[in-house]
Amino acid sequence: MSRLPKVAVIGTGGTIASQGLDPLDVQDYASSGRPILNAEELVAGLPVLKQVAEVIPVLHSAIPSTAVGWSDWQALLARIAALQAAHLDLDGIVITHGTATLEETAYFLSLTVPSDIPIVVTGAQRPFTGLSTDGHMNLVKAVRVAGHPDSRGMGALVVLNDEIQAAREVTKTSTGRMQTFRSPDVGVLGHADADRITYWRRPMRVLPVADRFDVAGLAAPPRVDVIYSVAGGDGVAVKAFLGAGAQGIVAAAFAPGFTTPAERVALAEAMEAGCTVVLSSRAMSGRTFPAKRYQAEGFLNADNLTPQKARVLLMLALTRTLDRAAIQAIFDAC
C-alpha cells in the first residue's frame, strides 16, 4: 500500500481561520471578538484530513490578510526553507491565508521560493464556524492538490471552490461570492473533484528555480506604489509617491494602458527623476499594449498582470536591476 503524501499546513490567519458568534455570522465575523484559529486548531477541526494526507500543522501567524506585507512574505520564505530542511520527504505545502491579499502572497512565493515543491495557497469566503462554510472543503482540497505529484513545477497554486489556478493568473473578483477567484484571460489549470485531481494545462510563465529572485532576508524592498487612473486625474498622487521615495510606480491605467494627460506628464517627470514606471490596466483583464508614444517616453508594460501583481514583480525586479530594458524583459517572462 502506497503511503499518504506528507503535506505541511502553514496557518497565517484570514477568514478561513476566523470564528463568528454563531453559524449565521458569516459577514461581520471579524467583530466577534473570538480568536483566529492557528494551524493546529484548523487541522484538529478537520479530522478527515487524515484520510488524504499525513498533515504537519505549522504554527506561524494569525492575522487578517489586510495586514500582510513584505515582512510576512519574508517570514513565509524562511518557514518554507526550514520545513524542507526538516522534512526531506515533504510532498507539498499548503498556506491558509485571508483572501484580500492571497493572490499577491501566492505570486510573490511563485517568484521567490527556490524549489519546485508544490505550494498551494487557500482561503475562504466564510469563516470556519459559518453555516455552509467553504473553508473546510477548500483546505481538504488544497492538501490533496499539494500532495499530488502533477502539482510540481507549476509555481505557487491557488485552490478554492474546487478550482486550481496559477498564482500569476488568478485574482479576486467578488467581495463575497464563492466563485470569487478567477483567471480572467486563461481560465483554471484544473479541478479538485471528489474522486481525483485533474489538470487540463500547465502555466506557461513559471520562472525556472535557478532564475527566481533571491530576496530571502532582505529587510525592505524597493518602494513601489500604485496610482489609479480616473477621469480628470491630475497626477498629484504621482508627485506624492515620488516625494515619499518611490523607486517604482505602477499605473492602474485606463484600458488598454493609457493615463490622463496630466498623469502622463507627472509619470514622465518621475521617470526623469529615476523612477521606473509600469503601465497596467484597471480593467483587470487583457494586455496593456505597447503604444509607441508611451514606449518612446520610457514607460514599461505589465502585459496582463493586474496592478497589484505588477507591483510585486516590479519590487522584485528592482532588487536585481535598474535597467529599463532588463526590467521589461522580466515582465515579458514572468
Side-chain angles (χ1 to χ4, degrees), residues 248-320:
I249 293 176
V250 173
F254 303 115
F258 305 142
T259 67
T260 67
E263 287 171 340
R264 182 176 167 188
V265 170
L267 289 167
E269 291 173 350
M271 286 188 289
E272 289 177 6
C275 185
T276 301
V277 176
V278 175
L279 296 173
S280 65
S281 166
R282 71 179 199 175
M284 299 295 181
S285 174
R287 294 172 52 231
T288 51
F289 300 121
K292 290 181 180 178
R293 64 185 185 276
Y294 280 86
Q295 282 189 304
E297 293 174 357
F299 289 86
L300 304 182
N301 285 280
D303 198 87
N304 70 336
L305 283 177
T306 59
Q308 57 269 31
K309 286 188 191 161
R311 174 180 174 264
V312 172
L313 184 55
L314 184 53
M315 283 195 298
L316 294 172
L318 288 170
T319 68
R320 184 177 290 179

Side-chain angles (χ1 to χ4, degrees), residues 22 28 32 62 82 128 131 143-144 191 211 219 245 250-251 261 273 325:
D22 57 55
D28 196 25
S32 72
F128 196 79
L131 183 66
V143 168
R144 288 176 56 214
H191 292 96
D211 294 338
V250 173

Side-chain angles (χ1 to χ4, degrees), residues 172-191:
K172 186 175 182 179
T173 64
S174 172
T175 57
R177 302 296 169 245
M178 298 300 103
Q179 72 278 16
T180 180
F181 281 93
R182 291 290 188 225
S183 297
D185 292 328
V186 291
V188 302
L189 298 177
H191 292 96

Side-chain angles (χ1 to χ4, degrees), residues 106 109-110 116-120 151-157 167 203 206 212:
L109 294 174
S110 199
D116 269 340
I117 190 170
I119 295 175
V120 177
S151 300
R152 295 189 70 87
M154 290 207 237
L157 301 170
V206 177
R212 293 182 186 174

Side-chain angles (χ1 to χ4, degrees), residues 12-79:
T12 70
T15 296
I16 192 171
S18 293
Q19 303 183 84
L21 292 173
D22 57 55
L24 294 181
D25 186 7
V26 296
Q27 184 167 293
D28 196 25
Y29 46 86
S31 302
S32 72
R34 299 186 67 187
I36 294 176
L37 301 172
N38 62 39
E40 289 181 348
E41 292 166 331
L42 278 178
V43 171
L46 286 175
V48 70
L49 285 170
K50 295 178 182 178
Q51 298 180 28
V52 298
E54 178 187 345
V55 176
I56 305 170
V58 181
L59 297 176
H60 187 71
S61 62
I63 59 175
S65 65
T66 52
V68 168
W70 182 264
S71 63
D72 302 287
W73 294 343
Q74 284 292 323
L76 279 173
L77 280 179
R79 182 73 68 187

Side-chain angles (χ1 to χ4, degrees), residues 112-130:
T112 58
V113 173
S115 168
D116 269 340
I117 190 170
I119 295 175
V120 177
V121 189
T122 191
Q125 290 290 81
R126 294 175 182 166
F128 196 79
T129 53

